[in-house]
Amino acid sequence: MKDASSILIIYTGGTIGMRQDPVDGTLKPFDFSQIVDEVPELGKYAVKIDSYTFDPLIDSSDVEPGLWQSLASLIKERYDEYDGFVVLHGTDTMAYSASALSFMLDNLAKPVIFTGSQLPIGVPRTDGKENLISAVEIAAAKDDNGHSLVPEVSIFFDSQLLRGNRSTKVSSEEFRAFQSPGYPALAEAGINIKYNRSVIMRPEVWSAPLRISTALDTRVSILKIHPGITPQVMRYFLCGPETRAVILETYGSGNAPSSQWFLDIVKEAARMGKVLMNVTQCSSGTVNMDLYATGKALQKAGVVSGLDITTESALAKLFHLLGASDDNEWVKKRLGENLKGEISK
Ligand code: ASP
């Protein structure tokens, strides 16, 4: 690690910085200086560490797109001062936030690493210390040319560095809370940190200035298809005036009921110009609407394949693309493109 590295730790809240309220026993956030007191190991690195604390600190269940806009603006503002950014964030919505940031930051040439923990940092068996220390080390790591080793938006958790927009929270109690079923880990922390260089994205031009796009259109809903779904629910989700786009969480390789009423509602929504995106309910694998007649029918009705995108990433991609244009046909085309490594294509 080079002496010159400097890292900004951005503290938004989450279990990592919580402690038990003596009155009602619930976990509530405490301030950043107390986190640093719990991790004296950070002082052993030849890295300059500054911090920025959001006010108020939040449980990430309260995250709204406004936080993503603030994060993107803060990273843009402080971009030239630091070699990398570590975002302390609750685990509940970390995959949504990391996905959103991946689409909002363009020409990223420095690491933006989200991390947090399952147990608060003050608890003896906490996973927060290791997560924070390794995230800082990775954020500061550079190659011989002085370029960051992982210039992506990622999540570090339980010794794995995962691409943010490929990650999903898979456990509410195991230390391995995140997985990236459709894409290999970017790095693994053992005795040494092993970087999987061939799967890490790099900017086309290292010196290009960071650009951010903070326009987000949140008129998107997610509908999980299930046996017994009714026409009323379908119509409410797909044809309501409040939505521009709907993520249909379908079965297996992108299948849904083949009943006429179901397809009629899908066609009606498509005629209304809604963006309909097909994302599988399976935790791994891809949508392939050519495989079964039921998938083919959805495709013919105007549904766009999300391929192997996660639901979290699909939501963020739609917010971002709808925010960029009023033209739903343009959005549909861009959904099929691999914008930030979020789909295998
Ligand atoms: N509810 C917490 C949060 O997401 C859980 C966590 O941090 O692990 O903020």
Side-chain angles (χ1 to χ4, degrees):
M1 201 181 299
K2 305 246 160 51
D3 286 13
S5 289
S6 57
I7 301 298
L8 182 65
I9 298 180
I10 303 171
Y11 178 35
T12 68
T15 294
I16 191 162
M18 290 189 187
R19 106 176 132 193
Q20 215 164 27
D21 183 309
V23 179
D24 65 9
T26 60
L27 289 172
K28 301 216 168 107
F30 60 89
D31 65 61
F32 185 75
S33 61
Q34 286 162 290
I35 295 188
V36 174
D37 290 348
E38 295 289 346
V39 197
E41 293 87 346
L42 284 175
K44 294 185 180 158
Y45 285 115
V47 177
K48 177 176 170 285
I49 297 175
D50 290 338
S51 68
Y52 179 95
T53 300
F54 271 82
D55 184 17
L57 291 166
I58 53 168
D59 184 304
S60 80
S61 310
D62 284 323
V63 160
E64 290 290 336
L67 179 91
W68 305 338
Q69 290 161 330
S70 305
L71 273 174
S73 303
L74 175 67
I75 290 169
K76 164 89 181 146
E77 230 168 77
R78 313 291 291 272
Y79 193 70
D80 294 336
E81 285 172 60
Y82 296 98
D83 297 296
F85 300 84
V86 172
V87 182
L88 300 183
H89 191 291
T91 58
D92 287 344
T93 57
M94 191 184 288
Y96 290 92
S97 295
S99 297
L101 265 288
S102 77
F103 296 115
M104 294 165 80
L105 306 177
D106 271 327
N107 300 333
L108 186 64
K110 297 178 181 180
V112 174
I113 305 178
F114 282 74
T115 196
S117 65
Q118 294 283 58
L119 281 175
I121 209 146
V123 167
R125 288 181 55 251
T126 186
D127 50 331
K129 272 189 181 192
E130 199 272 324
N131 286 348
L132 174 56
I133 292 167
S134 297
V136 167
E137 179 164 340
I138 295 170
K142 294 181 186 169
D143 65 17
D144 294 340
N145 300 317
H147 294 144
S148 295
L149 284 185
V150 194
E152 290 203 23
V153 179
S154 58
I155 289 181
F156 184 85
F157 225 89
D158 192 36
S159 68
Q160 289 194 308
L161 186 75
L162 307 174
R163 177 167 294 163
N165 60 28
R166 292 289 197 144
S167 304
T168 195
K169 184 173 177 183
V170 292
S171 176
S172 59
E173 53 187 37
E174 284 170 21
F175 284 147
R176 181 140 302 178
F178 289 89
Q179 272 177 17
S180 158
Y183 201 75
L186 306 179
E188 306 255 2
I191 291 179
N192 297 306
I193 297 178
K194 284 196 193 130
Y195 294 91
N196 194 356
R197 292 196 184 205
S198 62
V199 301
I200 296 174
M201 273 189 304
R202 285 177 182 75
E204 272 167 37
V205 183
W206 284 94
S207 56
L210 180 78
R211 283 192 293 122
I212 59 169
S213 26
T214 53
L216 299 171
D217 185 340
T218 59
R219 286 176 290 169
V220 182
S221 59
I222 302 174
L223 176 60
K224 184 169 188 160
I225 304 299
H226 58 86
I229 196 163
T230 62
Q232 291 77 9
V233 167
M234 278 288 291
R235 183 161 286 111
Y236 179 80
F237 270 87
L238 269 69
C239 304
E242 298 305 326
T243 48
R244 271 182 79 191
V246 183
I247 296 167
L248 292 169
E249 272 200 356
T250 57
Y251 306 129
S253 55
N255 306 311
S258 57
S259 36
Q260 199 52 49
W261 68 261
F262 185 95
L263 290 170
D264 283 346
I265 295 173
V266 173
K267 281 186 201 155
E268 188 183 329
R271 265 199 310 275
M272 292 168 80
K274 308 276 186 186
V275 179
L276 306 173
M277 186 180 190
N278 191 344
V279 175
T280 178
Q281 289 176 17
C282 294
S283 52
S284 67
T286 186
V287 165
N288 177 354
M289 290 192 279
D290 289 322
L291 216 51
Y292 293 93
T294 52
K296 193 82 187 166
L298 283 183
Q299 194 178 34
K300 275 201 188 140
V303 176
V304 181
S305 174
L307 296 166
D308 58 347
I309 199 164
T310 62
T311 299
E312 294 91 327
S313 193
L315 188 82
K317 191 171 182 178
L318 278 166
F319 281 7
H320 168 69
L321 290 175
L322 295 173
S325 170
D326 290 332
D327 179 354
N328 284 5
E329 290 308 311
W330 177 86
V331 171
K332 282 187 206 167
K333 280 198 200 95
R334 299 281 285 162
L335 279 179
E337 291 171 24
N338 183 7
L339 303 181
K340 293 292 168 68
E342 74 282 6
I343 50 176
S344 306
K345 208 177 176 186

PDB file of all heavy atoms in Angstrom, residues 75-77 79-80 104-110 203-213 340:
ATOM      1  N   ILE A  75     -19.650  12.186  -3.104  1.00  0.00           N
ATOM      2  CA  ILE A  75     -18.482  11.535  -3.722  1.00  0.00           C
ATOM      3  C   ILE A  75     -17.928  12.421  -4.839  1.00  0.00           C
ATOM      4  O   ILE A  75     -16.717  12.589  -4.979  1.00  0.00           O
ATOM      5  CB  ILE A  75     -18.863  10.116  -4.222  1.00  0.00           C
ATOM      6  CG1 ILE A  75     -19.107   9.208  -3.008  1.00  0.00           C
ATOM      7  CG2 ILE A  75     -17.771   9.536  -5.127  1.00  0.00           C
ATOM      8  CD1 ILE A  75     -19.740   7.865  -3.317  1.00  0.00           C
ATOM      9  N   LYS A  76     -18.811  13.028  -5.604  1.00  0.00           N
ATOM     10  CA  LYS A  76     -18.368  13.933  -6.683  1.00  0.00           C
ATOM     11  C   LYS A  76     -17.580  15.129  -6.095  1.00  0.00           C
ATOM     12  O   LYS A  76     -16.494  15.472  -6.553  1.00  0.00           O
ATOM     13  CB  LYS A  76     -19.597  14.411  -7.462  1.00  0.00           C
ATOM     14  CG  LYS A  76     -19.405  15.602  -8.353  1.00  0.00           C
ATOM     15  CD  LYS A  76     -18.959  15.189  -9.726  1.00  0.00           C
ATOM     16  CE  LYS A  76     -18.752  16.393 -10.623  1.00  0.00           C
ATOM     17  NZ  LYS A  76     -17.692  16.235 -11.547  1.00  0.00           N
ATOM     18  N   GLU A  77     -18.167  15.711  -5.042  1.00  0.00           N
ATOM     19  CA  GLU A  77     -17.546  16.892  -4.403  1.00  0.00           C
ATOM     20  C   GLU A  77     -16.145  16.581  -3.857  1.00  0.00           C
ATOM     21  O   GLU A  77     -15.235  17.382  -3.964  1.00  0.00           O
ATOM     22  CB  GLU A  77     -18.409  17.257  -3.194  1.00  0.00           C
ATOM     23  CG  GLU A  77     -18.833  18.689  -3.070  1.00  0.00           C
ATOM     24  CD  GLU A  77     -19.897  18.745  -1.984  1.00  0.00           C
ATOM     25  OE1 GLU A  77     -19.529  18.683  -0.800  1.00  0.00           O
ATOM     26  OE2 GLU A  77     -21.105  18.803  -2.349  1.00  0.00           O
ATOM     27  N   TYR A  79     -14.240  13.919  -4.648  1.00  0.00           N
ATOM     28  CA  TYR A  79     -13.594  12.887  -5.468  1.00  0.00           C
ATOM     29  C   TYR A  79     -12.081  13.081  -5.603  1.00  0.00           C
ATOM     30  O   TYR A  79     -11.304  12.139  -5.470  1.00  0.00           O
ATOM     31  CB  TYR A  79     -14.247  12.871  -6.847  1.00  0.00           C
ATOM     32  CG  TYR A  79     -13.888  11.667  -7.681  1.00  0.00           C
ATOM     33  CD1 TYR A  79     -14.354  10.405  -7.344  1.00  0.00           C
ATOM     34  CD2 TYR A  79     -13.092  11.791  -8.818  1.00  0.00           C
ATOM     35  CE1 TYR A  79     -14.032   9.291  -8.101  1.00  0.00           C
ATOM     36  CE2 TYR A  79     -12.761  10.682  -9.581  1.00  0.00           C
ATOM     37  CZ  TYR A  79     -13.238   9.435  -9.223  1.00  0.00           C
ATOM     38  OH  TYR A  79     -12.922   8.338  -9.972  1.00  0.00           O
ATOM     39  N   ASP A  80     -11.666  14.321  -5.876  1.00  0.00           N
ATOM     40  CA  ASP A  80     -10.237  14.553  -6.136  1.00  0.00           C
ATOM     41  C   ASP A  80      -9.382  14.485  -4.870  1.00  0.00           C
ATOM     42  O   ASP A  80      -8.174  14.315  -4.945  1.00  0.00           O
ATOM     43  CB  ASP A  80     -10.048  15.912  -6.825  1.00  0.00           C
ATOM     44  CG  ASP A  80     -10.678  15.895  -8.209  1.00  0.00           C
ATOM     45  OD1 ASP A  80     -10.822  14.779  -8.765  1.00  0.00           O
ATOM     46  OD2 ASP A  80     -11.060  16.969  -8.706  1.00  0.00           O
ATOM     47  N   MET A 104     -25.325   5.658 -11.077  1.00  0.00           N
ATOM     48  CA  MET A 104     -25.285   7.129 -10.974  1.00  0.00           C
ATOM     49  C   MET A 104     -23.885   7.710 -11.173  1.00  0.00           C
ATOM     50  O   MET A 104     -23.739   8.902 -11.427  1.00  0.00           O
ATOM     51  CB  MET A 104     -25.838   7.556  -9.603  1.00  0.00           C
ATOM     52  CG  MET A 104     -27.316   7.232  -9.453  1.00  0.00           C
ATOM     53  SD  MET A 104     -27.890   7.330  -7.746  1.00  0.00           S
ATOM     54  CE  MET A 104     -28.116   9.089  -7.553  1.00  0.00           C
ATOM     55  N   LEU A 105     -22.837   6.869 -11.002  1.00  0.00           N
ATOM     56  CA  LEU A 105     -21.460   7.364 -11.136  1.00  0.00           C
ATOM     57  C   LEU A 105     -20.877   6.927 -12.477  1.00  0.00           C
ATOM     58  O   LEU A 105     -20.838   5.729 -12.768  1.00  0.00           O
ATOM     59  CB  LEU A 105     -20.587   6.819  -9.993  1.00  0.00           C
ATOM     60  CG  LEU A 105     -21.075   7.064  -8.559  1.00  0.00           C
ATOM     61  CD1 LEU A 105     -20.129   6.404  -7.556  1.00  0.00           C
ATOM     62  CD2 LEU A 105     -21.176   8.562  -8.253  1.00  0.00           C
ATOM     63  N   ASP A 106     -20.440   7.873 -13.264  1.00  0.00           N
ATOM     64  CA  ASP A 106     -19.821   7.566 -14.565  1.00  0.00           C
ATOM     65  C   ASP A 106     -18.346   7.917 -14.544  1.00  0.00           C
ATOM     66  O   ASP A 106     -17.953   8.895 -13.905  1.00  0.00           O
ATOM     67  CB  ASP A 106     -20.503   8.385 -15.672  1.00  0.00           C
ATOM     68  CG  ASP A 106     -21.685   7.633 -16.238  1.00  0.00           C
ATOM     69  OD1 ASP A 106     -21.624   6.390 -16.288  1.00  0.00           O
ATOM     70  OD2 ASP A 106     -22.675   8.292 -16.588  1.00  0.00           O
ATOM     71  N   ASN A 107     -17.558   7.149 -15.304  1.00  0.00           N
ATOM     72  CA  ASN A 107     -16.091   7.317 -15.354  1.00  0.00           C
ATOM     73  C   ASN A 107     -15.453   7.079 -13.990  1.00  0.00           C
ATOM     74  O   ASN A 107     -14.459   7.726 -13.647  1.00  0.00           O
ATOM     75  CB  ASN A 107     -15.682   8.735 -15.794  1.00  0.00           C
ATOM     76  CG  ASN A 107     -16.195   9.082 -17.167  1.00  0.00           C
ATOM     77  OD1 ASN A 107     -16.401   8.204 -17.991  1.00  0.00           O
ATOM     78  ND2 ASN A 107     -16.401  10.365 -17.408  1.00  0.00           N
ATOM     79  N   LEU A 108     -16.028   6.181 -13.219  1.00  0.00           N
ATOM     80  CA  LEU A 108     -15.479   5.926 -11.881  1.00  0.00           C
ATOM     81  C   LEU A 108     -14.106   5.268 -12.004  1.00  0.00           C
ATOM     82  O   LEU A 108     -13.967   4.233 -12.640  1.00  0.00           O
ATOM     83  CB  LEU A 108     -16.440   5.011 -11.101  1.00  0.00           C
ATOM     84  CG  LEU A 108     -16.098   4.755  -9.643  1.00  0.00           C
ATOM     85  CD1 LEU A 108     -16.165   6.053  -8.826  1.00  0.00           C
ATOM     86  CD2 LEU A 108     -17.055   3.729  -9.039  1.00  0.00           C
ATOM     87  N   ALA A 109     -13.107   5.900 -11.375  1.00  0.00           N
ATOM     88  CA  ALA A 109     -11.747   5.345 -11.439  1.00  0.00           C
ATOM     89  C   ALA A 109     -11.222   5.042 -10.031  1.00  0.00           C
ATOM     90  O   ALA A 109     -10.048   4.738  -9.855  1.00  0.00           O
ATOM     91  CB  ALA A 109     -10.825   6.333 -12.147  1.00  0.00           C
ATOM     92  N   LYS A 110     -12.111   5.146  -9.051  1.00  0.00           N
ATOM     93  CA  LYS A 110     -11.711   4.895  -7.659  1.00  0.00           C
ATOM     94  C   LYS A 110     -12.737   3.980  -6.994  1.00  0.00           C
ATOM     95  O   LYS A 110     -13.901   3.981  -7.388  1.00  0.00           O
ATOM     96  CB  LYS A 110     -11.639   6.231  -6.896  1.00  0.00           C
ATOM     97  CG  LYS A 110     -10.577   7.161  -7.463  1.00  0.00           C
ATOM     98  CD  LYS A 110     -10.536   8.491  -6.739  1.00  0.00           C
ATOM     99  CE  LYS A 110      -9.462   9.368  -7.378  1.00  0.00           C
ATOM    100  NZ  LYS A 110      -9.338  10.675  -6.742  1.00  0.00           N
ATOM    101  N   PRO A 203     -12.014   1.813 -15.854  1.00  0.00           N
ATOM    102  CA  PRO A 203     -12.541   2.883 -16.710  1.00  0.00           C
ATOM    103  C   PRO A 203     -11.824   2.896 -18.056  1.00  0.00           C
ATOM    104  O   PRO A 203     -10.671   2.460 -18.136  1.00  0.00           O
ATOM    105  CB  PRO A 203     -12.209   4.156 -15.922  1.00  0.00           C
ATOM    106  CG  PRO A 203     -11.060   3.778 -15.052  1.00  0.00           C
ATOM    107  CD  PRO A 203     -11.189   2.324 -14.746  1.00  0.00           C
ATOM    108  N   GLU A 204     -12.506   3.371 -19.092  1.00  0.00           N
ATOM    109  CA  GLU A 204     -11.847   3.451 -20.406  1.00  0.00           C
ATOM    110  C   GLU A 204     -10.668   4.425 -20.342  1.00  0.00           C
ATOM    111  O   GLU A 204      -9.600   4.162 -20.864  1.00  0.00           O
ATOM    112  CB  GLU A 204     -12.852   3.916 -21.458  1.00  0.00           C
ATOM    113  CG  GLU A 204     -13.598   2.742 -22.063  1.00  0.00           C
ATOM    114  CD  GLU A 204     -14.794   3.162 -22.854  1.00  0.00           C
ATOM    115  OE1 GLU A 204     -14.726   4.212 -23.531  1.00  0.00           O
ATOM    116  OE2 GLU A 204     -15.810   2.439 -22.784  1.00  0.00           O
ATOM    117  N   VAL A 205     -10.909   5.559 -19.692  1.00  0.00           N
ATOM    118  CA  VAL A 205      -9.851   6.564 -19.547  1.00  0.00           C
ATOM    119  C   VAL A 205      -9.720   6.878 -18.056  1.00  0.00           C
ATOM    120  O   VAL A 205     -10.666   7.363 -17.438  1.00  0.00           O
ATOM    121  CB  VAL A 205     -10.233   7.869 -20.302  1.00  0.00           C
ATOM    122  CG1 VAL A 205      -9.116   8.887 -20.206  1.00  0.00           C
ATOM    123  CG2 VAL A 205     -10.598   7.561 -21.738  1.00  0.00           C
ATOM    124  N   TRP A 206      -8.554   6.596 -17.490  1.00  0.00           N
ATOM    125  CA  TRP A 206      -8.393   6.774 -16.037  1.00  0.00           C
ATOM    126  C   TRP A 206      -8.564   8.221 -15.609  1.00  0.00           C
ATOM    127  O   TRP A 206      -9.042   8.497 -14.508  1.00  0.00           O
ATOM    128  CB  TRP A 206      -7.017   6.262 -15.600  1.00  0.00           C
ATOM    129  CG  TRP A 206      -6.953   4.766 -15.553  1.00  0.00           C
ATOM    130  CD1 TRP A 206      -6.521   3.941 -16.548  1.00  0.00           C
ATOM    131  CD2 TRP A 206      -7.359   3.914 -14.475  1.00  0.00           C
ATOM    132  NE1 TRP A 206      -6.631   2.626 -16.153  1.00  0.00           N
ATOM    133  CE2 TRP A 206      -7.140   2.572 -14.879  1.00  0.00           C
ATOM    134  CE3 TRP A 206      -7.891   4.142 -13.194  1.00  0.00           C
ATOM    135  CZ2 TRP A 206      -7.431   1.481 -14.052  1.00  0.00           C
ATOM    136  CZ3 TRP A 206      -8.173   3.046 -12.376  1.00  0.00           C
ATOM    137  CH2 TRP A 206      -7.948   1.751 -12.812  1.00  0.00           C
ATOM    138  N   SER A 207      -8.160   9.129 -16.483  1.00  0.00           N
ATOM    139  CA  SER A 207      -8.153  10.537 -16.044  1.00  0.00           C
ATOM    140  C   SER A 207      -9.471  11.254 -16.361  1.00  0.00           C
ATOM    141  O   SER A 207      -9.610  12.440 -16.050  1.00  0.00           O
ATOM    142  CB  SER A 207      -7.003  11.274 -16.733  1.00  0.00           C
ATOM    143  OG  SER A 207      -7.158  11.128 -18.133  1.00  0.00           O
ATOM    144  N   ALA A 208     -10.452  10.564 -16.963  1.00  0.00           N
ATOM    145  CA  ALA A 208     -11.714  11.246 -17.296  1.00  0.00           C
ATOM    146  C   ALA A 208     -12.399  11.710 -16.009  1.00  0.00           C
ATOM    147  O   ALA A 208     -12.399  10.978 -15.011  1.00  0.00           O
ATOM    148  CB  ALA A 208     -12.624  10.298 -18.065  1.00  0.00           C
ATOM    149  N   PRO A 209     -12.951  12.904 -16.009  1.00  0.00           N
ATOM    150  CA  PRO A 209     -13.566  13.394 -14.761  1.00  0.00           C
ATOM    151  C   PRO A 209     -14.819  12.586 -14.389  1.00  0.00           C
ATOM    152  O   PRO A 209     -15.552  12.148 -15.280  1.00  0.00           O
ATOM    153  CB  PRO A 209     -13.941  14.852 -15.082  1.00  0.00           C
ATOM    154  CG  PRO A 209     -13.874  14.983 -16.562  1.00  0.00           C
ATOM    155  CD  PRO A 209     -13.027  13.879 -17.104  1.00  0.00           C
ATOM    156  N   LEU A 210     -15.010  12.397 -13.087  1.00  0.00           N
ATOM    157  CA  LEU A 210     -16.206  11.687 -12.628  1.00  0.00           C
ATOM    158  C   LEU A 210     -17.446  12.495 -13.004  1.00  0.00           C
ATOM    159  O   LEU A 210     -17.483  13.709 -12.812  1.00  0.00           O
ATOM    160  CB  LEU A 210     -16.162  11.514 -11.107  1.00  0.00           C
ATOM    161  CG  LEU A 210     -17.362  10.790 -10.501  1.00  0.00           C
ATOM    162  CD1 LEU A 210     -17.259   9.283 -10.714  1.00  0.00           C
ATOM    163  CD2 LEU A 210     -17.505  11.087  -9.019  1.00  0.00           C
ATOM    164  N   ARG A 211     -18.431  11.812 -13.546  1.00  0.00           N
ATOM    165  CA  ARG A 211     -19.720  12.472 -13.808  1.00  0.00           C
ATOM    166  C   ARG A 211     -20.778  11.763 -12.976  1.00  0.00           C
ATOM    167  O   ARG A 211     -20.707  10.550 -12.792  1.00  0.00           O
ATOM    168  CB  ARG A 211     -20.075  12.376 -15.297  1.00  0.00           C
ATOM    169  CG  ARG A 211     -19.295  13.375 -16.159  1.00  0.00           C
ATOM    170  CD  ARG A 211     -19.850  13.466 -17.565  1.00  0.00           C
ATOM    171  NE  ARG A 211     -19.638  12.230 -18.294  1.00  0.00           N
ATOM    172  CZ  ARG A 211     -20.604  11.505 -18.838  1.00  0.00           C
ATOM    173  NH1 ARG A 211     -21.863  11.872 -18.736  1.00  0.00           N
ATOM    174  NH2 ARG A 211     -20.338  10.385 -19.483  1.00  0.00           N
ATOM    175  N   ILE A 212     -21.748  12.514 -12.505  1.00  0.00           N
ATOM    176  CA  ILE A 212     -22.826  11.842 -11.770  1.00  0.00           C
ATOM    177  C   ILE A 212     -24.161  12.181 -12.427  1.00  0.00           C
ATOM    178  O   ILE A 212     -24.336  13.265 -12.984  1.00  0.00           O
ATOM    179  CB  ILE A 212     -22.867  12.240 -10.273  1.00  0.00           C
ATOM    180  CG1 ILE A 212     -23.057  13.758 -10.080  1.00  0.00           C
ATOM    181  CG2 ILE A 212     -21.614  11.790  -9.558  1.00  0.00           C
ATOM    182  CD1 ILE A 212     -23.372  14.136  -8.628  1.00  0.00           C
ATOM    183  N   SER A 213     -25.077  11.224 -12.400  1.00  0.00           N
ATOM    184  CA  SER A 213     -26.445  11.559 -12.824  1.00  0.00           C
ATOM    185  C   SER A 213     -27.365  11.285 -11.651  1.00  0.00           C
ATOM    186  O   SER A 213     -27.493  10.146 -11.196  1.00  0.00           O
ATOM    187  CB  SER A 213     -26.869  10.763 -14.060  1.00  0.00           C
ATOM    188  OG  SER A 213     -26.171   9.559 -14.148  1.00  0.00           O
ATOM    189  N   LYS A 340     -23.362  -1.232 -16.464  1.00  0.00           N
ATOM    190  CA  LYS A 340     -22.308  -1.180 -15.430  1.00  0.00           C
ATOM    191  C   LYS A 340     -21.960  -2.571 -14.901  1.00  0.00           C
ATOM    192  O   LYS A 340     -21.756  -2.752 -13.709  1.00  0.00           O
ATOM    193  CB  LYS A 340     -22.769  -0.271 -14.280  1.00  0.00           C
ATOM    194  CG  LYS A 340     -22.901   1.204 -14.648  1.00  0.00           C
ATOM    195  CD  LYS A 340     -21.535   1.816 -14.929  1.00  0.00           C
ATOM    196  CE  LYS A 340     -21.611   3.184 -15.588  1.00  0.00           C
ATOM    197  NZ  LYS A 340     -22.145   4.238 -14.777  1.00  0.00           N
TER     198      LYS A 340
END
